[in-house]
Amino acid sequence: MIDRIPSGFHPFVLPFMIGMVFVLLYCAYGIVKIMIQLTAEDRKKFLISLVTPKTLLKNIKDIFCDCLLHVKLWKRNKMLGFMHSSIAFGWFMLIVLGHIEVILFIPERLHTFYYPIFFNYFVAENDATVAGSLLFFLMDFFLLLVLTGIALAIVKRIRSRIFGMRRTTRHSLINHIGMYALWAIFPLRLLAEGFTAHISGGSFLTIPLNWVFRQFLGNDLNMLPTWWAYSIALGVFMVVLPFSRFMHIPAEMMLIPMRNAGLKIRGARKGFARVQVYSCPNCGVCIDACPMSVSKANIKDCTVYLTRQIRRGNEKRIAEISDKCLLCGKCEALCQVGVEGPQLRVMQRSLRKYALEPDYSNIAVEPLVEAASGSKVLYFSGCMSQLTPEIGRSVESVLRKAGVDFTWMDRDGGLCCGRPMATAGRLDAARAIVEKNEKIILGSGADTLLVSCPICYKMFRESYDLPGVRVVHYSQYFSGLVKLGQLKLEKSDICYVYHDPCELGRGCGIYEEPRRLIGLSAAIAEADKTREESVCCGGSLGSLSLSFEQRRKITQGALDNLYTSHADAIATACPLCKATFARYSDRPVRDLAEIIDAQSTGYKQTER
Amino acid sequence: MIYQGKQKIWSDYQKEIPDDNWYYVRSCIRQNFFPASEKMFTEITRNVLGKDVYETPFHTTCGGIAYHCDTIPQETVMTIVARQFALMTEAGYENYCPSCITSFGNYAEILETWHEFPELEAKIREDLWKACKREFKKPKYLAHSSDLIYHWRNEIADKARYRLVDKETGEPLKIVEHIGCHYAKMFPHKAVGGAEYPYVLAGMVESWGGQVIDYPERRHCCGYGFRQYHVKANRGYSISNTHKKFESMEPYHPDAIITNCPGCPYFLDRWQYVIAEQTGKTYGRGGYGIPVLTYEELAGIVLGYDPWDLGLQLHQVAVEPLLDKIGIEYDPKAKYLGLNKEDLLRPELPTVLKCC
Amino acid sequence: MMDFGFSLSKSSTLNLDTADLSLYKKLCELSPDARTCMACGSCSATCTAGPFSGMSVRKVILDLQRGRDVKAMVQGCMLCGKCIMVCPRGINTRNLILNLCKIYDR
Amino acid sequence: MKENIVIIGGGIAGMEAAKQLLCLGYNPIIVEQNDHLGGHVSQWHQLFPDMTPAQDLVRRLGEEISEANIFLETTVSYVNKLKDGYNVMLNNGVNIVCRALLIASGFKLFDATKKEEYGYGVYDRVITNSDLEAWFNGKQDPRIPDKPARVGFVHCVGSRDLKAGNSQCSKVCCVTAIKQAIEVKEKFPDAEIYCFYMDLRLFGKKYEDFYINAQRDFGVHFIRGRVSEVGEAIDGRLQVKAEDTLAGKPLKVTLDMLVLMSGMVCNPQATEIARMIHLDMDDDGFLRSRDNVYSIIESNRPGVFYAGACTGTKTVPETVAEARAAALGIDAYLKSL
């Protein structure tokens, strides 16, 4: 292998170089800007995590698995996984191998950016070595891999269903330019290397192609234009990259370490939120995930369009998209990158200025503290449970059977937990409610806060400061009672399909306990979409603007999913889900607590 | 306003009023508020119209104010009223004419109650006998003294010296009529013209040349309302009611208000001063108020009686602008001279309301 | 001004001639369903915050329709959304309150 | 020779019954006091809930009974019971003997002048529901301003009102008020419309939709409270007072026009005939049916049948259905003799 061009330069590398330098500068600028936008505490946390070996290793592993191999996508759909990993990993390998070639054969040119990219143009094969032919083979192999991926990508644009996607994103012009440039890069590279293979050498792909070309075109005149074209495609792609969805490639590499460092979205548009927005690859997985997509009118309100509108700064659409969302969290659960759509929306809502702010200064907590005092276990049923009073009654009955001494904090009504206020983005007002409840709970002297409403449960878990108080959902608590033998469950022959409430499942990660308890009390079936993919009931308080009619369609969609199980009845563990489903369901809807109450006997009763 | 529509309603609410032989009973409070009014009634009916109008010094209150203030039970009021009827019976009359609207309402209510519950009437007869050994016949006709003036309005018009017209322009004066609540609101069919559009005062105004003003709050109470005024803590309500009426009639620029109840002229007159003091607002022209007259005073004016003999100097709101407009001759210097021509001294003048 | 020991009391009458309905009209642009309220009171009866703060969506809507101030009531709302669950007319009451908070101008 | 059946009243009940009786092979004879058929419906503009033109209904029925004997501008002078039927003497001298008699004399609109406090006939801008329908039908009405800014509707005028002599609900006024409110709003899009109601009784199919439409799409204001009094201001506008029972406060508003929803009372003609042949009257002032569940069209006298609003307030579809039922009832009765 010898250096063919004495100067080691040709003008055709310029488009690539311009693009490359532009991207690098842009990313550097972006990193600095985001670092500045982070709070001092977050910045410190992030920087420390980068030098902590454990997180560093995790970062490398995650970046390799997520960005190159797309492991999550493989799990979701093999075609989709193959398409993405073939392009990402293949391209990555082409770059790595290009560098190895330069290091092996012309190490003095390593300082140029472009040599590893345009290697075949700049070299001539003077002696065929085993290493060289192996490298050439690998280069052709990975090029073929990438080309396969590109071919699949083109097919996906036409028929996304093959890839398990009913709907895909409608891309913007700049995304299209980026995409076509990306698609063009590798065929052009194949052409360029094909035209050059008789000089530079090649392998199973490029050599036969060179032979074919030479049969028709007996000269080298086509060589340079194709290298130009290849460089231009690269240049265009890189110049477009920061303004297109392909920004997710560098952004995700920032997102992963930040997430691993434990950062949370704090602002609406800046810092980590910005990284999240840029990390969205616009793949459109969230469109199918979104329960609102049952209505065509809502498709443009999925997370992919939120990130796009935030990048565009279209405030009207940002507000619309943010307000409509149910905050069910399914898009986040299914997102390959991990864009936190719901939290991003809440932060957009928090930007809104209200002329009238809540004022709870008149509400005295003392009588409520008094009402809550007396037992170590404090039961909070939540305000929604007043619309489904069987839940509270059943919890009460089960606790009695199990001989648990408890106080029902909001039997005669209590303050809201504050989550609805928080989801509306009114974080200060939510804080004011939280503080009132904190006073009541801490003042009660209880050490366990038993919660039956997942909405409240999530709020108590995440936003309350309750030192010395264990916050527990009744499914967990009842599981404990069963384990301790304080509660005995008897199986009935009813078959339930369990609906994972958004706030309990995706929100708090509780999937197993309810299923175990139902399994002990009855037969259980699973719906088509279940656990992380469970479909929101449509009643969620997350949405501010969805109309009753739109919600009805969502509920119907969720019910249709549950009906796939052919179960006799629907079980859930959320008063809101229960009330919402009960409105339209063609079969009974029961709360977990009701099922347990019906099928349980207490320790004391079994003694007798 | 469709005048024919009102006429149609008026025709539905006519009452039979005998032309002569009336037993007249005075009001408790009118003689203090507007002392010449009742005097003028007897003067006009007896001397101008030549009617037999009998009165006796032995009659008492009808008990209406105490009844409406919830201080005596209805049986007591009925017994008082029974005694009044006994006096009439003893005097040989059967047409009863109270001067007070509250009394008129009281009598009407009691007669109606006895009609519906004859056993109650029997009990009252017994009570009266036990109390003062008197017996009575129920009056054959009950008419308020304004009903009588209404009945004789055209005769008065024939004898009138003045008409209710602006002497400069010849335009009819704009007169607001205010009917006491207990005149028609309880028993519309016992009132001339009914409760919604009473005709008793409107008829006088029309006969005597004036033009009746119908304004949105015409039906509203003058604001007296017994307990509203008598309990000082409630007086704010009382004056607010009056204020509401004045605000409503203001756009019409009435020349005078004519009333047929003891309390109404008093409150419509005196509250104008208080409203002026409290809000700085007056409702007549040039800082004056709107003169408030009883129907007897108005009858006296058109018949040409001396305004000071009619006691008009006892009104809070100055009547001179009205007298001037009609063209009535009077001696301004005689305003505060007593019957014996002795100087009664000048009253203290209000700060806002202009009072000559 | 002379002190009589009493004065004109403020009228309790709702005067629609002088009532300022601009806030209600503005709200109806954002939440047209506000118009369909039939004052059944379900929202108030179920209100979580109501017993503590005096909030009542029914009264808020009615008072807006009569041009009266609703500040204190709205400030007592905790946005729990139970009223949406019970509204027989499907009014998005929670969004209505949020919109009202947004445009409030008194 | 077809059998005569006298139908008293040529409104839609009489017309529909005549049509059915013709089909059944009888000779219906309609006695109508007005110079035209169709009764109140013929004076109406559009019918709820489908906004059907009232004239279409009357015209259609009129075409279908062209073979019937119709006496217009005719009243019943005397009816007397014969051994097996009735002798009906008309004021034009005609004498008819029939075995079955159908009373379809309908209702009379409550005379709104009786509610003196509302000032119908006294104030310049107070009209009734039927005045408004006449105006919709193109009749000039000087009481209706060119561009009213505020229009009020008073429900239950002469209905559910002991003091007006009618304690019953007139049934159709709520939905009629809403219909007319929408129609007025369509004519005067800038006008604010206020409906003063005590209860909204929107019992029929599509009526509630009407109500929601009026609220949502036409912004009609519904104020719960009976109007207590109406006064005329100096500019001729009307000052209306009511208790806003939802707010628990008195309410007042100045309107450019007020429409009184006059209720239904029994047609005096029915009372007159009832007296002649001893038909029972109900305490609501309407004719008393044999019972109010199963035999609404039957009277207490053999051969005398009822249809429509002579037995109580009825909607148009109810009236038509009763007329059909009455025709069948007469047929069955005559066949049973």
Side-chain angles (χ1 to χ4, degrees), chain A residues 76 285-293 303 325-336 338-342 345 499-503 505-507 511 528-537 557-558 561:
Chain A
R76 173 154 192 82
V285 165
C286 50
I287 300 176
D288 280 347
C290 184
M292 295 198 300
S293 300
T303 303
C325 176
L326 294 153
L327 305 184
C328 75
K330 193 171 168 186
C331 56
E332 185 184 343
L334 294 190
C335 180
Q336 306 308 309
V339 176
E340 296 168 42
R345 284 179 172 87
H499 165 77
D500 289 280
C502 306
E503 301 277 54
R506 287 184 290 264
Y511 296 106
D528 179 19
K529 302 259 191 312
T530 182
R531 295 174 189 261
E532 293 83 0
E533 296 196 29
S534 154
V535 187
C536 173
C537 69
N561 173 51

Short mmCIF file of all heavy atoms in Angstrom, two decimals, chain A residues 76 285-293 303 325-336 338-342 345 499-503 505-507 511 528-537 557-558 561:
data_model
loop_
_atom_site.label_atom_id
_atom_site.label_comp_id
_atom_site.label_asym_id
_atom_site.label_seq_id
_atom_site.Cartn_x
_atom_site.Cartn_y
_atom_site.Cartn_z
N ARG A 76 -37.46 -4.92 20.40
CA ARG A 76 -38.79 -4.49 19.97
C ARG A 76 -39.17 -5.12 18.64
O ARG A 76 -40.24 -5.68 18.50
CB ARG A 76 -38.78 -2.96 19.86
CG ARG A 76 -40.05 -2.41 19.27
CD ARG A 76 -40.34 -1.00 19.71
NE ARG A 76 -41.70 -0.70 19.30
CZ ARG A 76 -42.76 -1.06 20.00
NH1 ARG A 76 -42.61 -1.70 21.15
NH2 ARG A 76 -43.98 -0.80 19.56
N VAL A 285 -41.76 5.89 17.23
CA VAL A 285 -42.26 4.78 18.04
C VAL A 285 -43.34 5.30 19.00
O VAL A 285 -44.33 4.63 19.29
CB VAL A 285 -41.10 4.12 18.82
CG1 VAL A 285 -41.63 3.22 19.94
CG2 VAL A 285 -40.24 3.32 17.87
N CYS A 286 -43.16 6.53 19.45
CA CYS A 286 -44.11 7.10 20.40
C CYS A 286 -45.49 7.30 19.78
O CYS A 286 -46.48 7.37 20.50
CB CYS A 286 -43.57 8.41 20.96
SG CYS A 286 -42.99 9.55 19.72
N ILE A 287 -45.56 7.39 18.47
CA ILE A 287 -46.88 7.63 17.85
C ILE A 287 -47.77 6.43 18.07
O ILE A 287 -48.91 6.55 18.52
CB ILE A 287 -46.73 7.93 16.34
CG1 ILE A 287 -45.87 9.16 16.13
CG2 ILE A 287 -48.10 8.11 15.72
CD1 ILE A 287 -45.59 9.48 14.69
N ASP A 288 -47.25 5.25 17.80
CA ASP A 288 -48.05 4.05 18.03
C ASP A 288 -48.26 3.83 19.51
O ASP A 288 -49.30 3.29 19.92
CB ASP A 288 -47.36 2.83 17.42
CG ASP A 288 -47.59 2.75 15.92
OD1 ASP A 288 -48.47 3.50 15.44
OD2 ASP A 288 -46.91 1.97 15.25
N ALA A 289 -47.29 4.22 20.30
CA ALA A 289 -47.39 4.00 21.74
C ALA A 289 -48.50 4.84 22.34
O ALA A 289 -49.19 4.42 23.25
CB ALA A 289 -46.07 4.33 22.41
N CYS A 290 -48.69 6.04 21.80
CA CYS A 290 -49.56 7.01 22.44
C CYS A 290 -51.03 6.57 22.41
O CYS A 290 -51.57 6.28 21.34
CB CYS A 290 -49.43 8.36 21.75
SG CYS A 290 -50.40 9.62 22.58
N PRO A 291 -51.69 6.51 23.56
CA PRO A 291 -53.10 6.11 23.56
C PRO A 291 -53.99 7.12 22.84
O PRO A 291 -55.08 6.78 22.39
CB PRO A 291 -53.45 6.04 25.05
CG PRO A 291 -52.41 6.80 25.75
CD PRO A 291 -51.18 6.74 24.90
N MET A 292 -53.51 8.35 22.71
CA MET A 292 -54.32 9.36 22.02
C MET A 292 -54.38 9.10 20.52
O MET A 292 -55.23 9.64 19.82
CB MET A 292 -53.75 10.76 22.24
CG MET A 292 -53.79 11.24 23.67
SD MET A 292 -53.60 13.01 23.76
CE MET A 292 -52.00 13.24 23.00
N SER A 293 -53.45 8.25 20.02
CA SER A 293 -53.40 8.03 18.58
C SER A 293 -54.62 7.30 18.05
O SER A 293 -54.76 7.14 16.84
CB SER A 293 -52.15 7.25 18.19
OG SER A 293 -51.02 7.98 18.57
N THR A 303 -44.93 12.73 21.38
CA THR A 303 -43.67 13.30 21.86
C THR A 303 -42.73 13.71 20.72
O THR A 303 -42.07 14.74 20.80
CB THR A 303 -42.97 12.30 22.79
OG1 THR A 303 -43.88 11.98 23.84
CG2 THR A 303 -41.70 12.87 23.37
N CYS A 325 -51.57 16.01 26.40
CA CYS A 325 -51.02 14.71 26.80
C CYS A 325 -51.61 14.20 28.11
O CYS A 325 -51.83 14.94 29.06
CB CYS A 325 -49.52 14.83 26.93
SG CYS A 325 -48.72 13.35 27.52
N LEU A 326 -51.84 12.88 28.16
CA LEU A 326 -52.37 12.24 29.36
C LEU A 326 -51.28 11.98 30.39
O LEU A 326 -51.56 11.54 31.50
CB LEU A 326 -53.01 10.91 28.98
CG LEU A 326 -54.26 10.98 28.10
CD1 LEU A 326 -54.40 9.71 27.29
CD2 LEU A 326 -55.49 11.19 28.96
N LEU A 327 -50.03 12.18 29.99
CA LEU A 327 -48.87 11.90 30.85
C LEU A 327 -48.87 10.44 31.31
O LEU A 327 -48.47 10.15 32.43
CB LEU A 327 -48.84 12.83 32.08
CG LEU A 327 -48.87 14.35 31.83
CD1 LEU A 327 -48.71 15.08 33.15
CD2 LEU A 327 -47.78 14.79 30.88
N CYS A 328 -49.29 9.55 30.42
CA CYS A 328 -49.38 8.15 30.82
C CYS A 328 -48.00 7.51 30.86
O CYS A 328 -47.80 6.48 31.49
CB CYS A 328 -50.28 7.36 29.88
SG CYS A 328 -49.54 7.01 28.27
N GLY A 329 -47.06 8.11 30.15
CA GLY A 329 -45.67 7.66 30.24
C GLY A 329 -45.32 6.51 29.31
O GLY A 329 -44.22 5.98 29.36
N LYS A 330 -46.27 6.15 28.45
CA LYS A 330 -45.98 5.00 27.60
C LYS A 330 -44.92 5.34 26.55
O LYS A 330 -44.09 4.50 26.21
CB LYS A 330 -47.26 4.52 26.92
CG LYS A 330 -47.11 3.17 26.28
CD LYS A 330 -48.42 2.61 25.82
CE LYS A 330 -48.19 1.39 24.94
NZ LYS A 330 -49.42 0.91 24.34
N CYS A 331 -44.94 6.55 26.06
CA CYS A 331 -43.95 6.93 25.05
C CYS A 331 -42.55 6.86 25.64
O CYS A 331 -41.61 6.41 25.00
CB CYS A 331 -44.25 8.32 24.50
SG CYS A 331 -44.33 9.60 25.75
N GLU A 332 -42.45 7.25 26.88
CA GLU A 332 -41.15 7.23 27.54
C GLU A 332 -40.70 5.78 27.75
O GLU A 332 -39.54 5.44 27.54
CB GLU A 332 -41.26 7.95 28.89
CG GLU A 332 -39.94 8.08 29.59
CD GLU A 332 -40.08 8.71 30.98
OE1 GLU A 332 -41.14 9.32 31.24
OE2 GLU A 332 -39.15 8.59 31.77
N ALA A 333 -41.68 4.94 28.12
CA ALA A 333 -41.33 3.55 28.38
C ALA A 333 -40.86 2.86 27.10
O ALA A 333 -40.01 1.99 27.14
CB ALA A 333 -42.54 2.81 28.95
N LEU A 334 -41.44 3.25 25.97
CA LEU A 334 -41.09 2.58 24.72
C LEU A 334 -39.98 3.29 23.97
O LEU A 334 -39.44 2.74 23.02
CB LEU A 334 -42.33 2.46 23.82
CG LEU A 334 -43.44 1.57 24.35
CD1 LEU A 334 -44.49 1.34 23.26
CD2 LEU A 334 -42.90 0.24 24.82
N CYS A 335 -39.65 4.49 24.38
CA CYS A 335 -38.67 5.27 23.62
C CYS A 335 -37.31 4.58 23.71
O CYS A 335 -36.83 4.25 24.78
CB CYS A 335 -38.58 6.69 24.17
SG CYS A 335 -37.38 7.69 23.28
N GLN A 336 -36.70 4.39 22.55
CA GLN A 336 -35.41 3.71 22.50
C GLN A 336 -34.31 4.56 23.12
O GLN A 336 -33.32 4.07 23.60
CB GLN A 336 -35.05 3.38 21.04
CG GLN A 336 -36.12 2.61 20.32
CD GLN A 336 -36.52 1.37 21.11
OE1 GLN A 336 -35.67 0.58 21.51
NE2 GLN A 336 -37.82 1.22 21.36
N GLY A 338 -35.01 7.02 25.37
CA GLY A 338 -35.37 7.37 26.74
C GLY A 338 -35.74 8.83 26.90
O GLY A 338 -35.50 9.43 27.94
N VAL A 339 -36.35 9.41 25.87
CA VAL A 339 -36.79 10.80 25.99
C VAL A 339 -37.98 10.84 26.95
O VAL A 339 -38.94 10.08 26.79
CB VAL A 339 -37.22 11.35 24.61
CG1 VAL A 339 -37.78 12.77 24.76
CG2 VAL A 339 -36.04 11.36 23.66
N GLU A 340 -37.87 11.70 27.95
CA GLU A 340 -38.93 11.74 28.97
C GLU A 340 -40.03 12.70 28.54
O GLU A 340 -40.12 13.83 28.99
CB GLU A 340 -38.33 12.18 30.31
CG GLU A 340 -37.31 11.20 30.85
CD GLU A 340 -36.50 11.75 32.02
OE1 GLU A 340 -37.08 12.40 32.90
OE2 GLU A 340 -35.28 11.56 32.02
N GLY A 341 -40.85 12.20 27.62
CA GLY A 341 -41.93 13.03 27.06
C GLY A 341 -42.82 13.66 28.11
O GLY A 341 -43.07 14.87 28.08
N PRO A 342 -43.36 12.89 29.07
CA PRO A 342 -44.28 13.47 30.05
C PRO A 342 -43.63 14.58 30.87
O PRO A 342 -44.21 15.65 31.04
CB PRO A 342 -44.63 12.27 30.93
CG PRO A 342 -44.42 11.09 30.07
CD PRO A 342 -43.27 11.44 29.18
N ARG A 345 -43.20 17.69 29.06
CA ARG A 345 -44.46 18.43 28.91
C ARG A 345 -44.80 19.19 30.19
O ARG A 345 -45.24 20.34 30.15
CB ARG A 345 -45.59 17.48 28.56
CG ARG A 345 -45.54 17.02 27.10
CD ARG A 345 -46.69 16.06 26.88
NE ARG A 345 -46.86 15.71 25.48
CZ ARG A 345 -46.22 14.70 24.90
NH1 ARG A 345 -45.33 14.00 25.57
NH2 ARG A 345 -46.46 14.41 23.64
N HIS A 499 -55.41 -4.49 34.50
CA HIS A 499 -54.98 -3.27 33.79
C HIS A 499 -53.97 -2.56 34.67
O HIS A 499 -54.28 -2.18 35.80
CB HIS A 499 -56.19 -2.37 33.53
CG HIS A 499 -55.82 -0.97 33.14
ND1 HIS A 499 -55.37 -0.64 31.89
CD2 HIS A 499 -55.78 0.19 33.87
CE1 HIS A 499 -55.10 0.66 31.85
NE2 HIS A 499 -55.33 1.17 33.04
N ASP A 500 -52.76 -2.39 34.15
CA ASP A 500 -51.75 -1.65 34.91
C ASP A 500 -52.07 -0.17 34.86
O ASP A 500 -52.00 0.45 33.79
CB ASP A 500 -50.37 -1.86 34.28
CG ASP A 500 -49.85 -3.26 34.51
OD1 ASP A 500 -49.35 -3.53 35.60
OD2 ASP A 500 -49.97 -4.10 33.57
N PRO A 501 -52.42 0.43 36.00
CA PRO A 501 -52.61 1.89 35.98
C PRO A 501 -51.28 2.56 35.65
O PRO A 501 -50.22 2.10 36.10
CB PRO A 501 -53.03 2.21 37.42
CG PRO A 501 -53.44 0.90 38.01
CD PRO A 501 -52.63 -0.14 37.33
N CYS A 502 -51.35 3.61 34.86
CA CYS A 502 -50.12 4.28 34.41
C CYS A 502 -49.23 4.64 35.60
O CYS A 502 -48.03 4.40 35.59
CB CYS A 502 -50.44 5.55 33.65
SG CYS A 502 -51.55 5.31 32.30
N GLU A 503 -49.87 5.24 36.62
CA GLU A 503 -49.07 5.79 37.71
C GLU A 503 -48.47 4.69 38.57
O GLU A 503 -47.44 4.88 39.19
CB GLU A 503 -49.94 6.70 38.59
CG GLU A 503 -50.56 7.87 37.84
CD GLU A 503 -49.64 9.06 37.70
OE1 GLU A 503 -48.52 8.89 37.19
OE2 GLU A 503 -50.04 10.17 38.09
N GLY A 505 -47.86 1.31 37.43
CA GLY A 505 -46.94 0.51 36.64
C GLY A 505 -45.75 1.32 36.18
O GLY A 505 -44.70 1.37 36.83
N ARG A 506 -45.96 2.01 35.07
CA ARG A 506 -44.86 2.82 34.54
C ARG A 506 -44.41 3.87 35.54
O ARG A 506 -43.25 4.21 35.62
CB ARG A 506 -45.29 3.49 33.24
CG ARG A 506 -45.40 2.53 32.09
CD ARG A 506 -45.72 3.28 30.81
NE ARG A 506 -47.07 3.81 30.81
CZ ARG A 506 -48.12 3.18 30.26
NH1 ARG A 506 -47.95 2.00 29.68
NH2 ARG A 506 -49.31 3.72 30.30
N GLY A 507 -45.37 4.39 36.30
CA GLY A 507 -45.03 5.49 37.21
C GLY A 507 -44.22 5.04 38.40
O GLY A 507 -43.31 5.74 38.83
N TYR A 511 -45.62 -3.85 39.09
CA TYR A 511 -46.33 -4.70 38.14
C TYR A 511 -46.68 -6.05 38.76
O TYR A 511 -47.70 -6.64 38.44
CB TYR A 511 -45.47 -4.96 36.91
CG TYR A 511 -45.15 -3.72 36.10
CD1 TYR A 511 -43.88 -3.15 36.13
CD2 TYR A 511 -46.12 -3.13 35.29
CE1 TYR A 511 -43.58 -2.03 35.39
CE2 TYR A 511 -45.83 -2.00 34.55
CZ TYR A 511 -44.55 -1.45 34.60
OH TYR A 511 -44.27 -0.34 33.87
N ASP A 528 -53.37 -7.88 25.38
CA ASP A 528 -52.36 -7.81 24.31
C ASP A 528 -51.23 -6.88 24.73
O ASP A 528 -50.08 -7.25 24.79
CB ASP A 528 -53.07 -7.31 23.05
CG ASP A 528 -52.12 -7.17 21.88
OD1 ASP A 528 -51.03 -7.80 21.95
OD2 ASP A 528 -52.45 -6.44 20.92
N LYS A 529 -51.59 -5.65 25.08
CA LYS A 529 -50.59 -4.68 25.54
C LYS A 529 -50.68 -4.64 27.05
O LYS A 529 -51.75 -4.34 27.59
CB LYS A 529 -50.90 -3.30 24.96
CG LYS A 529 -50.94 -3.24 23.45
CD LYS A 529 -49.65 -2.67 22.93
CE LYS A 529 -49.71 -2.33 21.45
NZ LYS A 529 -50.27 -3.39 20.58
N THR A 530 -49.60 -4.90 27.70
CA THR A 530 -49.68 -5.02 29.14
C THR A 530 -48.37 -4.53 29.76
O THR A 530 -47.42 -4.21 29.06
CB THR A 530 -50.01 -6.48 29.51
OG1 THR A 530 -50.13 -6.59 30.90
CG2 THR A 530 -48.96 -7.42 29.02
N ARG A 531 -48.37 -4.45 31.08
CA ARG A 531 -47.22 -3.95 31.84
C ARG A 531 -46.75 -2.59 31.30
O ARG A 531 -47.55 -1.67 31.24
CB ARG A 531 -46.09 -4.98 31.85
CG ARG A 531 -46.51 -6.24 32.60
CD ARG A 531 -45.47 -7.32 32.50
NE ARG A 531 -45.99 -8.57 33.05
CZ ARG A 531 -45.74 -9.01 34.28
NH1 ARG A 531 -44.93 -8.35 35.08
NH2 ARG A 531 -46.30 -10.13 34.70
N GLU A 532 -45.48 -2.50 30.87
CA GLU A 532 -44.96 -1.19 30.42
C GLU A 532 -45.78 -0.64 29.26
O GLU A 532 -45.81 0.55 29.02
CB GLU A 532 -43.50 -1.29 29.94
CG GLU A 532 -42.48 -1.60 31.01
CD GLU A 532 -42.38 -3.08 31.32
OE1 GLU A 532 -43.12 -3.87 30.69
OE2 GLU A 532 -41.60 -3.43 32.21
N GLU A 533 -46.41 -1.57 28.53
CA GLU A 533 -47.13 -1.13 27.33
C GLU A 533 -48.63 -1.00 27.58
O GLU A 533 -49.41 -0.81 26.65
CB GLU A 533 -46.87 -2.09 26.18
CG GLU A 533 -45.42 -2.11 25.77
CD GLU A 533 -45.20 -2.74 24.41
OE1 GLU A 533 -46.13 -2.67 23.59
OE2 GLU A 533 -44.12 -3.29 24.20
N SER A 534 -49.02 -1.10 28.82
CA SER A 534 -50.43 -0.96 29.18
C SER A 534 -50.98 0.36 28.63
O SER A 534 -50.28 1.37 28.58
CB SER A 534 -50.52 -1.00 30.71
OG SER A 534 -51.66 -0.33 31.15
N VAL A 535 -52.27 0.32 28.20
CA VAL A 535 -52.84 1.51 27.56
C VAL A 535 -53.63 2.34 28.58
O VAL A 535 -54.48 1.81 29.28
CB VAL A 535 -53.80 1.08 26.41
CG1 VAL A 535 -54.27 2.31 25.64
CG2 VAL A 535 -53.11 0.10 25.49
N CYS A 536 -53.32 3.61 28.63
CA CYS A 536 -53.98 4.51 29.59
C CYS A 536 -55.50 4.43 29.43
O CYS A 536 -56.02 4.35 28.32
CB CYS A 536 -53.51 5.94 29.34
SG CYS A 536 -54.41 7.15 30.33
N CYS A 537 -56.20 4.50 30.56
CA CYS A 537 -57.67 4.38 30.54
C CYS A 537 -58.34 5.60 29.91
O CYS A 537 -59.51 5.57 29.59
CB CYS A 537 -58.19 4.21 31.95
SG CYS A 537 -58.00 5.68 32.98
N GLY A 557 -60.43 2.50 23.27
CA GLY A 557 -59.22 1.85 22.77
C GLY A 557 -58.58 1.01 23.85
O GLY A 557 -58.16 -0.13 23.61
N ALA A 558 -58.52 1.54 25.05
CA ALA A 558 -57.91 0.82 26.16
C ALA A 558 -58.73 -0.42 26.49
O ALA A 558 -58.20 -1.49 26.78
CB ALA A 558 -57.79 1.72 27.38
N ASN A 561 -58.20 -3.19 24.07
CA ASN A 561 -56.96 -3.92 24.39
C ASN A 561 -57.22 -4.93 25.50
O ASN A 561 -56.77 -6.07 25.42
CB ASN A 561 -55.89 -2.90 24.80
CG ASN A 561 -54.63 -3.59 25.29
OD1 ASN A 561 -54.10 -4.47 24.63
ND2 ASN A 561 -54.19 -3.21 26.48
#
